[in-house]
Amino acid sequence: EDQVTQSPEALRLQEGESSSLNCSYTVSGLRGLFWYRQDPGKGPEFLFTLYSAGEEKEKERLKATLTKKESFLHITAPKPEDSATYLCAVTGANSKLTFGKGITLSVRP
Amino acid sequence: EAGVVQSPRYKIIEKKQPVAFWCNPISGHNTLYWYRQNLGQGPELLIRYENEEAVDDSQLPKDRFSAERLKGVDSTLKIQPAELGDSAVYLCASSHSGEVIKTEAFFGQGTRLTVV
């Protein structure tokens, strides 16, 4: 069974303090790893898809990387508007989209 | 392009009553998902459709939950009768899935169900 573990559960940063969010996964036949952002009371918003180890993608202050066992979401010089819950999900050979529990990020001004 | 549309946004019902949620996926997306999300948790899959076929419903509590996707477009998720533990946010998502490439899923705003 596919599994996704995210750490830490919660992260508090000062504005401008860079950090990384971790997503560890076990999946049979990885077909894609996805990062989402979720604001309170809203559905998850798609950020990135990574397909193979070594792949990297960037969007504004966010950069996602992928190895054979984990993915990192690096946040450079975060701003208060980056505060949200970040969800990691994987799809394997069974085509099932499995999510982790998410990491709640708070950025203080 | 319109995103995934869900209705209603909020629903409060008494336990043992029935409830239904509706989802209209993004046009052209052949895969449709229903997820349940409890507070502080990640989404958990209830059922996945490829076109009109339910290809994964192993996590759907079939004694009280049912779903349908007529004509492979809109979908309805029903709970009858509802229990207190069913209180959660019900999310619908859709994606375009091929044999090799699995594209990202796009989510609706969700329906927040409160059972009292």
Side-chain angles (χ1 to χ4, degrees):
Chain A
E1 184 174 323
D2 301 342
Q3 286 191 321
V4 178
T5 302
Q6 294 189 248
S7 62
E9 289 187 5
L11 182 63
R12 297 186 69 182
L13 300 174
Q14 196 70 33
E15 184 173 2
E17 179 187 2
S18 301
S19 188
S20 297
L21 312 181
N22 176 262
C23 170
S24 298
Y25 65 91
T26 56
V27 63
S28 177
L30 179 70
R31 294 177 65 188
L33 183 140
F34 308 91
W35 281 98
Y36 288 84
R37 168 186 171 134
Q38 187 172 27
D39 293 299
K42 295 190 175 182
E45 175 189 350
F46 169 74
L47 292 174
F48 301 108
T49 306
L50 300 168
Y51 291 108
S52 58
E55 190 174 359
E56 299 181 353
K57 290 200 175 167
E58 289 187 66
K59 179 181 180 181
E60 296 181 352
R61 296 177 292 283
L62 301 177
K63 179 180 178 180
T65 62
L66 181 65
T67 72
K68 290 185 177 180
K69 294 183 178 181
E70 57 191 351
S71 176
F72 291 94
L73 185 65
H74 306 278
I75 303 177
T76 301
K79 298 181 178 181
E81 52 262 43
D82 294 322
S83 297
T85 296
Y86 290 86
L87 295 164
C88 174
V90 296
T91 296
N94 61 7
S95 297
K96 181 177 178 179
L97 184 61
T98 301
F99 281 84
K101 292 184 177 181
I103 297 170
T104 301
L105 174 66
S106 298
V107 182
R108 302 186 301 272
Chain B
E1 179 182 309
V4 176
V5 179
Q6 290 187 246
S7 67
R9 287 278 284 129
Y10 305 94
K11 190 74 177 179
I12 301 174
I13 61 171
E14 294 184 345
K15 62 182 180 181
K16 300 185 181 180
Q17 294 301 306
V19 65
F21 314 125
W22 176 80
C23 173
N24 180 240
I26 292 173
S27 178
H29 280 190
N30 56 328
T31 302
L32 184 145
Y33 311 80
W34 281 104
Y35 283 86
R36 176 168 60 188
Q37 187 174 28
N38 292 306
L39 190 63
Q41 302 294 314
E44 296 178 334
L45 181 69
L46 292 173
I47 189 168
R48 173 170 64 93
Y49 283 93
E50 297 286 349
N51 300 303
E52 65 274 10
E53 181 183 1
V55 295
D56 185 354
D57 63 356
S58 58
Q59 302 302 311
L60 189 72
K62 298 181 183 63
D63 57 336
R64 297 183 300 106
F65 286 65
S66 64
E68 61 181 10
R69 190 184 185 195
L70 299 177
K71 300 182 181 179
V73 182
D74 294 2
S75 178
T76 302
L77 178 69
K78 298 178 181 178
I79 308 175
Q80 183 172 10
E83 297 179 352
L84 295 177
D86 296 331
S87 295
V89 175
Y90 291 82
L91 294 164
C92 178
S94 70
S95 68
H96 181 71
S97 303
E99 286 296 319
V100 177
I101 297 296
K102 174 65 69 173
T103 64
E104 57 274 8
F106 292 90
F107 284 79
Q109 294 294 319
T111 296
R112 180 175 295 278
L113 173 67
T114 302
V115 182
V116 297

